Amino acid sequence: MKTADLTLTEQQLDLMQTELGGSRDVETAAYVLFGVSRIAGDPFEHQPRLRLMVKEVLPVTGDEIKSADHVHISWSTERFVQLLARAEREGLQLGIAHSHPRGPARFSVQDDRNEAELVRLAQNRNGGRALLPSLLIAEGQFVAGRVWLSPDTVIDFSQARTVGGNWRIIFFAEEQVATDPALARQELALGANFNRLMRQLRVGVVGAGGTGSPLLQQLARMGVGRIAIFDPDHVEYSNLNRLYGATRNDAEQAVKKVDVARREIERMGLGTEMATFDNWIGAEECQDALKSMDLIFGCTDDHDGRLLLNRLAYYYLIPVIDIGLALRVSERHGISGLEADGRVTVLEPGSVCLVCRRVVNASIAAEEALRRNDPEEYEHRKAEAYVRGEGNPSPAVISFTTSVATMAVEELIQRVNQFRGASGAITNRVRKFNLVEDFRPGAKKEPCRICGSDRIHGVGDVQPFLGRTG
Ligand SMILES: [Zn+2]
Ligand SMILES: [Zn+2]
């Protein structure tokens, strides 16, 4: 069975609930443009999944409305047809939102008839792949949503998720989730709703190494229901100083890092569903899995991988919490000292991306891509000193890798539970361990066309994937 869900920003949710839900006397309506993410196989349920992302909400205005009262609204479909042309041009889907000012909190028989007619209109104009998403606001609250695939096929949204500051999930289908005694102490601190939300989340962890392994330990013990782990590497001796769960035997047998992570989480016995990928995340096998996530932690040192996640966050409205750690041994006045900087950056609409923060380096990313795609040419250029080569191994200490992973988990808790207060979210946090201080550095340049452009945010599927060429 196909499933469907929705993502929108907090601001879009507010707009819909206040603009459409404001009136108690008459029904109101809006056109809504959506980006779409078509998933052939979700990595956990192995079922097709359709995800829609709200791009723009355009309220139906007074002069378009033919008649309206508290139980009905009827408006001219002239603009619907105009907007269909725009949707086709921009690779988007056109849908509607309307209100039931005094309830009920479900679609009516009349809604069914009208929407079947609208999807027919959309498919006649834009072809058989045109969809008609429909959202319902009742008594000022967003209470239901669905997507028509044809005049006689409709899928209800299971949930809507907000991004952009605080992360909320509105569950449309009431699911009974048994409380787990293993999470009782966490419930005392963060509430039953927090535990329920963790159980529903699909979290991706890209990189199961120094920062990824302590992160995975924490996510599983916090009750995250579904975790997808991506890492192409295997365990080496030099990892054993910081890789949780890894053994000397794993290094000798060159066991994959994703297999160590899976084994350790399975041993906890907390019922975590897992999907593991021993590929680089740019591989085609990883696309559906990445697109299926509600949230991704970037725990990789690889610049090209970071560039990919950087785009994914904005194209698909999947927040990425990117983690970085830099240890440097410096010499000052003949005394050597350790500088240790941990960084946690949240990527989503409204925050500045890793390119604009100069965290990723495009030319290193290009060299990594060359090493992956054309190793011979890469070695050739390295010999001629056209590429910089892998360089010296970077220093690493378990206390710092664990600390920075914990900072990232704290950011997740904040976004869901607001334990630091309503405006306590931090988009970019740098901890200087040697100064025992945290900083919040701003961006170094103006937002680029990825993070700064509404056109990209929530656009979803484009050709090529994420607009990346080569
Ligand atoms: Zn209705
Ligand atoms: Zn940017």
Side-chain angles (χ1 to χ4, degrees):
M1 228 266 307
K2 228 176 183 170
T3 56
D5 66 25
L6 180 79
T7 310
L8 72 174
T9 64
E10 286 242 289
Q11 295 80 345
Q12 288 164 339
L13 178 65
D14 282 351
L15 176 78
M16 282 206 307
Q17 293 189 153
T18 54
E19 287 256 330
L20 296 188
S23 171
R24 297 277 295 131
D25 301 322
V26 288
E27 286 199 7
T28 51
Y31 295 113
V32 185
L33 287 160
F34 297 84
V36 62
S37 169
R38 296 175 196 265
I39 297 162
D42 173 293
F44 305 106
E45 280 120 37
H46 307 285
Q47 299 290 338
R49 214 162 126 77
L50 200 55
R51 310 191 89 179
L52 286 125
M53 290 77 70
V54 173
K55 280 206 59 71
E56 207 172 326
V57 180
L58 304 156
V60 171
T61 54
D63 52 346
E64 294 172 81
I65 296 169
K66 290 181 184 162
S67 64
D69 60 28
H70 72 279
V71 289
H72 102 289
I73 181 168
S74 134
W75 72 91
S76 142
T77 50
E78 201 177 314
R79 195 148 64 115
F80 185 78
V81 177
Q82 289 166 9
L83 286 168
L84 279 176
R86 180 181 156 197
E88 189 186 36
R89 242 185 355 259
E90 297 177 12
L92 303 175
Q93 299 290 337
L94 177 61
I96 56 165
H98 82 287
S99 74
H100 289 171
R102 303 178 197 170
R106 58 178 186 278
F107 290 99
S108 69
V109 176
Q110 187 61 43
D111 294 336
D112 294 349
R113 275 200 294 268
N114 295 347
E115 291 172 14
E117 207 40 57
L118 288 176
V119 71
R120 196 188 310 276
L121 197 60
Q123 296 193 333
N124 285 342
R125 169 71 181 70
N126 287 1
R129 290 201 16 121
L131 306 167
L132 185 92
S134 167
L135 315 177
L136 181 64
I137 313 292
E139 299 180 83
Q141 297 298 310
F142 182 21
V143 291
R146 58 186 180 174
V147 54
W148 293 79
L149 310 187
S150 73
D152 43 35
T153 324
V154 62
I155 309 175
D156 290 326
F157 288 137
S158 55
Q159 63 178 53
R161 191 168 55 84
T162 69
V163 299
N166 297 327
W167 300 337
R168 281 218 290 146
I169 297 186
I170 303 168
F171 298 102
F172 296 137
E174 214 35 66
E175 259 180 81
Q176 279 306 319
V177 183
T179 55
D180 187 343
L183 300 175
R185 300 300 186 92
Q186 180 169 285
E187 185 175 323
L188 288 178
L190 300 172
N193 198 46
F194 181 88
N195 282 359
R196 178 176 176 225
L197 201 139
M198 287 299 117
R199 194 42 87 191
Q200 297 293 328
L201 274 187
R202 295 149 194 272
V203 178
V205 177
V206 176
T211 53
S213 77
L215 183 85
L216 283 160
Q217 288 279 324
Q218 297 188 34
L219 293 179
R221 290 197 190 278
M222 285 170 76
V224 171
R226 303 181 189 93
I227 305 179
I229 311 166
F230 305 82
D231 196 316
D233 295 336
H234 59 81
V235 179
E236 296 178 45
Y237 283 113
S238 64
N239 303 141
L240 295 182
N241 76 321
R242 61 194 184 283
L243 200 65
Y244 285 75
T247 63
R248 175 170 289 272
N249 187 53
D250 293 332
E252 277 162 5
Q253 306 292 321
V255 174
K256 299 265 184 196
K257 287 179 181 170
V258 291
D259 292 336
V260 171
R262 177 187 282 278
R263 181 184 73 204
E264 295 306 304
I265 292 175
E266 267 167 6
R267 265 161 35 92
M268 292 177 196
L270 297 172
T272 321
E273 284 180 55
M274 272 178 290
T276 51
F277 297 85
D278 58 0
N279 280 324
W280 182 66
I281 50 165
E284 213 172 321
E285 299 90 289
C286 298
Q287 269 181 29
D288 268 2
L290 291 169
K291 284 165 58 179
S292 300
M293 296 299 123
D294 296 322
L295 162 71
I296 295 174
F297 287 92
C299 308
T300 171
D301 284 333
D302 127 47
H303 286 248
D304 203 19
R306 276 214 175 100
L307 276 181
L308 188 148
L309 293 180
N310 193 62
R311 283 178 176 243
L312 187 85
Y314 297 94
Y315 274 71
Y316 287 97
L317 306 187
I318 299 171
V320 170
I321 304 184
D322 185 72
I323 300 175
L325 180 67
L327 303 191
R328 282 177 305 273
V329 178
S330 61
E331 198 79 33
R332 230 178 259 157
H333 313 300
I335 302 162
S336 79
L338 177 67
E339 284 178 42
D341 291 359
R343 176 189 53 79
V344 171
T345 309
V346 179
L347 308 175
E348 63 176 357
S351 80
V352 172
C353 82
L354 294 178
V355 176
C356 294
R357 292 189 189 279
R358 301 198 197 286
V359 169
V360 278
N361 180 319
S363 58
I364 298 179
E367 290 172 14
E368 289 167 353
L370 181 67
R371 188 168 80 220
R372 233 185 358 260
N373 302 328
D374 190 350
E376 210 171 300
E377 178 63 18
Y378 175 81
E379 288 307 322
H380 175 72
R381 291 198 200 170
K382 196 166 81 176
E384 311 234 308
Y386 287 125
V387 299
R388 68 204 81 190
E390 292 90 304
N392 297 320
S394 33
V397 179
I398 190 168
S399 61
F400 302 129
T401 49
T402 304
S403 259
V404 73
T406 302
M407 283 164 62
V409 174
E410 285 170 14
E411 197 57 36
L412 165 61
I413 298 173
Q414 166 61 29
R415 302 299 178 122
V416 174
N417 174 276
Q418 288 85 47
F419 76 104
R420 300 180 195 132
S423 52
I426 304 174
T427 43
N428 192 41
R429 177 179 175 199
V430 170
R431 174 168 293 174
K432 292 195 172 286
F433 290 98
N434 46 311
L435 301 180
V436 204
E437 255 191 283
D438 281 9
F439 298 84
R440 300 179 190 189
K444 297 216 168 52
K445 64 186 207 62
E446 288 299 300
C448 68
R449 63 187 183 82
I450 304 293
C451 67
S453 149
D454 284 347
R455 216 176 58 75
I456 297 290
H457 301 171
V459 71
D461 294 339
V462 294
Q463 281 298 336
F465 182 52
L466 300 173
R468 279 165 59 96
T469 44

